[in-house]
Amino acid sequence: MRLAVLVHLVHLAAANTAARQAESEYLADLAPTQLARLAALRAEHASTLTPEQAAFFDRAENAVAAVDAAEGRLLSELCPWVLPILTCMKLVKRTDDDGDVVECGTPERSQPLLLASRGRDDEDEDEEDEREKKERQKDCTCYHVPIMCDCVFALKDCKRKWHLALNTLLFAVPLVHLLLAPHTKVEESFNLQAAHDILIYGTPVGEGSGAQLAATYDHFTFPGAVPRTFVGAVLLAGVSQPLIAAVGFGAAQLVVRAALGGFNAACLLVFRRSVDAAFGQATGRWWLALTVSQFHLMFYLSRTLPNMFSFGLTTLASALLLPKASPALAYGRQKQALLLLVVSAAVFRSETAILLGCTSLQLLLRGRASLVRLIPLLAGLSLGALLLTVPIDSYFWQRIPLWPELAGFYYNAVLGSSSAWGTSPWHYYFTSALPRLLLNPLALPLAAFALTRPATRGPAADLVLPHLLFVAVYSAQPHKEARFIFYVVPALTAAAALGASYVFARRTKTRLLGLVALALLPLTILVSLAGGGAMLLLSSLNYPGGDAVAQLFRLTAGMPPPAPAAVAVHADVLTCMTGMTLFGQNPHGLPLAVADVSSAVLQLPEGVAPPLVLFDKTEDETAMAAADFWTRFDYVLAEDPSKVTAGHWRTVGVVLGYDGIEVLRPGAVAAGDDDVEKNAQVASLQPPVLGRGLTVRKMRNFVRSLTRGWYVGPRMSPRIHIMQQVKSPLSPSKKTTA
């Protein structure tokens, strides 16, 4: 211990001596040159200088003469806004021993090299790298005294702005996915419906609160296979409420999803900054480029799956476990990471307990933790997580006590009931899911390459091994879905970014590295972005239920007067599973479950014309077989019109859904058009197809007009029929079978 302190003091004394020496060299050599250039520039622009620019020259001259680093850093914020970039760059140019003009080094120029060395073993660095490092530092006298370099090197400010612009992609790309695909599937419905109910009905307390919850909250009617936690829904509703008040309840579903997407994007931003700090900004830029080009991750960031609540927590945990500047800081961040993993496993997704175990094992093997400290820490953190989830979920489910993730683990893992939703071979995650999630074909090879290089082997192993171990262990579960392993994507992408940064930094050494760095890697990122855009457009066509509900509201809004006060609508199972949500059913934010149609509580907002649209989602076949079941509805959203067995109905529109890719030759009829137009009554409507299917049809016709009948694009097939009951005996009535 004493020896370590003594060595530290010796290093500190040497650093102070070097700083004083650098300061004297700066005053003797570079400072006079910079003062002369400042004077020349002031004289050159004397007739056009503004008072602000003149004050800048005064402060810059004083900073140079006094070797005032604090003033120099202050000027660095002012310089780019006062002087043009080229003028600023002139101030830091000097000549070397041969008389050639060179640019003074800056922290930006040296930082990636210094940061990358944190993860290296000095003995493993080759002599050429060491020589390049020394030469670069030798050229940068003013790197040690950051006055004029900080002040006038305007590229630093440009890099900062470019850095900020790149970071905004982590928020902008998921937002584009949200706006183009605003609807949701049934597996996302629990948290979305729960957030709606919390926003509309609040959280009743006191006598009768249980009965009020049961009468108003959707999960008592559609509980699902296992109970899920309300913690995420409560947080989303709380964050979204003021935003919804500002923009209106019609956009509530977008706001709730955007809140979750924003949280996950912020977690990715924290991870990117941790990568910058640990491995250098070059690695961070490669990580960001690889991440935003991953379609599935960007598409799911805002989707209200329990997995995506866990994703943000596990991403933050991975960021906290990256190398830190000091052992004390690393130890503190390590405890925070374990807390996040415990909350993820206990509250949102129990499978992340495997990731917690793999991470703990890595810490033990690396000597960064001991069992004596780890076990009590995890026990305490787990107790705290239970104190969060059990009271909240016991209240909302009215079952005391209730730990939802324990119930889900017992149902899926112990009973094996999840296999009813399908099974996959043991290698599915490795051979199918991971390549699709990472998307870029070079991602896995680059991560493997990083594991083989001495300079990146250590950090790459810390990123890859615990996460691949998690995937391997979880592969024992027969039911597999790609969303179950989203948690490993940021870390594996970081390992790939290490490999990409290593290759790019050495692109001039061999032709192969140059080819990969300058051609294959940028090309695959562009191809991944283009492929992700195509997949987004196709995926947005896969929500016919949400599209049908939106089209129904448009149809009923155009009803001629006198419009009824309310219309009753039955939605079948496919409609409910492919985009119909409580937010979509209730665009005006009314408490539909607590009052009659005639009640003042359900009066439409001012400026909104009737009717009020009320939905029924009965699934019971016996109830639907009753003679009077269908006749009480004004509209039906049905996949199969033949199941509507009573009353007289006409189809007022058909909503199409994505059904693969089609290639049409000149003269060929598109599949969806053929099916719909066989029915004369449907074909007579203007237009017979509604919603996104109509948009695709128009786009297809436009493309074929340009290509002489050729077309390659999405095939659309009928999914939901919007049927209206014909109640007047004088109106032509016909039971349609479109």
Side-chain angles (χ1 to χ4, degrees):
M1 179 67 181
R2 293 179 180 177
L3 180 61
V5 173
L6 181 60
V7 171
H8 179 69
L9 291 176
V10 170
H11 287 172
L12 194 59
N16 290 334
T17 302
R20 287 194 297 272
Q21 182 180 359
E23 179 179 323
S24 62
E25 291 176 356
Y26 176 84
L27 285 172
D29 178 27
L30 188 59
T33 305
Q34 291 179 329
L35 286 171
R37 290 185 183 136
L38 280 168
L41 281 169
R42 182 196 286 267
E44 180 182 352
H45 302 287
S47 60
T48 58
L49 282 180
T50 65
E52 184 183 26
Q53 290 172 326
F56 166 76
F57 275 102
D58 292 337
R59 294 175 65 184
E61 290 170 350
N62 293 334
V64 173
V67 198
D68 189 343
E71 180 71 355
R73 281 191 291 272
L74 191 63
L75 288 173
S76 69
E77 302 298 326
L78 176 64
C79 172
W81 300 103
V82 176
L83 297 178
I85 290 177
L86 293 178
T87 301
C88 288
M89 290 179 65
K90 289 180 184 178
L91 296 177
V92 294
K93 287 186 176 179
R94 63 189 181 91
T95 58
D96 58 15
D97 296 336
D98 299 325
D100 297 323
V101 175
V102 295
E103 292 179 8
C104 176
T106 66
E108 296 289 355
R109 191 173 170 190
S110 301
Q111 188 181 34
L113 192 61
L114 297 176
L115 290 172
S117 65
R118 291 182 188 172
R120 297 184 179 185
D121 184 347
D122 291 340
E123 296 179 358
D124 291 333
E125 289 185 347
D126 58 82
E127 293 181 1
E128 185 176 355
D129 286 343
E130 191 67 22
R131 187 162 55 252
E132 289 177 358
K133 177 178 175 181
K134 290 180 179 178
E135 287 298 322
R136 183 165 296 188
Q137 291 178 343
K138 184 178 178 181
D139 285 344
C140 301
T141 3
C142 65
Y143 167 68
H144 301 287
V145 186
I147 300 172
M148 290 305 298
C149 284
D150 280 348
C151 167
V152 299
F153 198 62
L155 285 179
K156 178 180 179 182
D157 187 69
C158 293
K159 287 183 179 180
R160 187 184 300 114
K161 293 177 180 178
W162 176 243
H163 191 75
L164 179 63
L166 288 176
N167 285 339
T168 59
L169 291 176
L170 291 173
F171 296 86
V173 175
L175 180 61
V176 170
H177 284 70
L178 168 60
L179 295 177
L180 291 182
H183 302 302
T184 61
K185 289 287 184 72
V186 64
E187 56 266 24
E188 308 163 47
S189 64
F190 174 80
N191 284 294
L192 203 61
Q193 313 289 56
H196 169 276
D197 291 340
I198 294 169
L199 288 167
I200 294 297
Y201 305 112
T203 52
V205 294
E207 186 177 355
S209 60
Q212 189 173 348
L213 282 170
T216 55
Y217 273 57
D218 183 76
H219 67 284
F220 285 100
T221 305
F222 302 97
V226 294
R228 291 296 180 190
T229 182
F230 266 80
V231 173
V234 169
L235 293 174
L236 281 185
V239 171
S240 303
Q241 191 168 28
L243 299 174
I244 293 171
V247 302
F249 204 85
Q253 179 166 315
L254 288 176
V255 172
V256 169
R257 286 189 54 193
L260 178 59
F263 166 71
N264 284 325
C267 294
L268 288 173
L269 178 58
V270 171
F271 188 91
R272 188 261 162 101
R273 289 180 174 174
S274 297
V275 170
D276 286 352
F279 311 123
Q281 291 188 1
T283 303
R285 285 190 290 270
W286 283 115
W287 178 87
L288 189 143
L290 291 169
T291 297
V292 298
S293 62
Q294 293 166 347
F295 163 72
H296 292 89
L297 183 60
M298 296 293 104
F299 186 77
Y300 276 90
L301 277 188
S302 66
R303 300 202 163 267
T304 51
L305 293 159
N307 310 82
M308 300 318 296
F309 290 91
S310 274
F311 174 81
L313 300 179
T314 57
T315 300
L316 284 177
S318 297
L320 294 171
L321 291 171
L322 291 175
K324 297 296 181 286
S326 68
L329 180 62
Y331 181 69
R333 295 290 186 262
Q334 177 181 302
K335 291 194 292 185
Q336 294 171 357
L338 293 175
L339 168 62
L340 293 171
L341 289 173
V342 167
V343 172
S344 171
V347 178
F348 295 108
R349 289 296 301 186
S350 59
E351 72 263 15
T352 54
I354 303 174
L355 183 58
L356 171 63
C358 296
T359 302
S360 300
L361 179 61
Q362 180 199 29
L363 295 176
L364 291 171
L365 295 177
R366 290 284 190 182
R368 296 168 60 184
S370 64
L371 281 175
V372 175
R373 291 186 175 183
L374 193 60
I375 292 176
L377 175 63
L378 293 178
L381 295 176
S382 300
L383 179 60
L386 290 179
L387 292 176
L388 170 67
T389 182
V390 172
I392 291 176
D393 293 311
S394 297
Y395 162 76
F396 279 105
W397 286 93
Q398 292 294 296
R399 291 162 55 182
I400 302 176
L402 175 65
W403 180 9
E405 280 311 296
L406 179 61
F409 174 79
Y410 179 77
Y411 179 85
N412 292 318
V414 178
L415 298 180
S417 301
S418 62
S419 298
W421 280 269
T423 61
S424 301
W426 67 268
H427 55 79
Y428 168 79
Y429 287 137
F430 292 100
T431 58
S432 179
L434 272 180
R436 284 189 291 112
L437 291 179
L438 297 175
L439 194 58
N440 192 304
L442 292 182
L444 287 174
L446 284 171
F449 179 75
L451 289 170
T452 66
R453 299 293 93 190
T456 56
R457 180 182 299 142
D462 288 341
L463 289 165
V464 170
L465 295 182
H467 292 89
L468 287 189
L469 180 60
F470 159 75
V471 176
V473 173
Y474 198 46
S475 295
Q477 180 72 5
H479 177 62
K480 298 177 177 66
E481 295 183 39
R483 61 188 174 96
F484 294 160
I485 59 168
F486 268 128
Y487 327 112
V488 308
V489 172
L492 295 184
T493 305
L498 275 174
S501 181
Y502 184 96
V503 169
F504 192 79
R506 291 158 178 78
R507 61 191 179 277
T508 59
K509 292 189 175 182
T510 68
R511 290 184 178 180
L512 178 59
L513 292 180
L515 176 64
V516 173
L518 300 178
L520 295 182
L521 192 51
L523 179 62
T524 55
I525 289 175
L526 292 175
V527 170
S528 297
L529 283 170
M535 286 188 281
L536 170 60
L537 294 176
L538 296 179
S539 298
S540 68
L541 305 175
N542 213 19
Y543 298 87
D547 199 4
V549 171
Q551 298 309 314
L552 177 66
F553 272 99
R554 291 188 177 92
L555 290 172
T556 56
M559 295 180 70
V567 295
V569 181
H570 172 76
D572 70 352
V573 173
L574 181 64
T575 304
C576 296
M577 292 181 65
T578 58
M580 180 174 170
T581 66
L582 293 178
F583 285 110
Q585 296 171 228
N586 187 20
H588 308 302
L590 302 175
L592 300 178
V594 297
D596 299 320
V597 176
S598 59
S599 170
V601 178
L602 294 187
Q603 294 303 309
L604 290 168
E606 185 177 352
V608 178
L612 181 67
V613 182
L614 302 175
F615 288 85
D616 169 79
K617 296 182 283 188
T618 301
E619 298 178 8
D620 185 9
E621 295 287 347
T622 303
M624 295 168 66
D628 62 342
F629 177 80
W630 297 105
T631 55
R632 56 193 176 96
F633 298 113
D634 300 288
Y635 289 89
V636 169
L637 304 179
E639 178 185 14
D640 182 3
S642 66
K643 292 185 177 181
V644 182
T645 56
H648 299 279
W649 301 84
R650 65 189 183 100
T651 301
V652 295
V654 178
V655 173
L656 308 184
Y658 175 68
D659 193 26
I661 299 294
E662 64 181 352
V663 179
L664 298 179
R665 297 174 178 272
V669 178
D673 292 355
D674 187 36
D675 291 342
V676 173
E677 292 174 359
K678 286 179 180 178
N679 187 300
Q681 184 176 0
V682 175
S684 67
L685 297 174
Q686 296 296 326
V689 174
L690 303 177
R692 299 203 173 196
L694 178 60
T695 302
V696 172
R697 172 182 286 184
K698 291 179 178 179
M699 182 269 295
R700 183 182 62 224
N701 292 339
F702 174 73
V703 171
R704 298 187 76 178
S705 69
L706 299 178
T707 60
R708 299 181 180 180
W710 287 94
Y711 172 76
V712 178
R715 179 195 299 116
M716 305 295 288
S717 297
R719 291 287 185 262
I720 308 292
H721 297 77
I722 303 176
M723 304 173 65
Q724 182 182 23
Q725 185 172 189
V726 181
K727 296 183 177 180
S728 171
L730 299 177
S731 301
S733 62
K734 183 177 181 180
K735 196 174 295 184
T736 65
T737 58

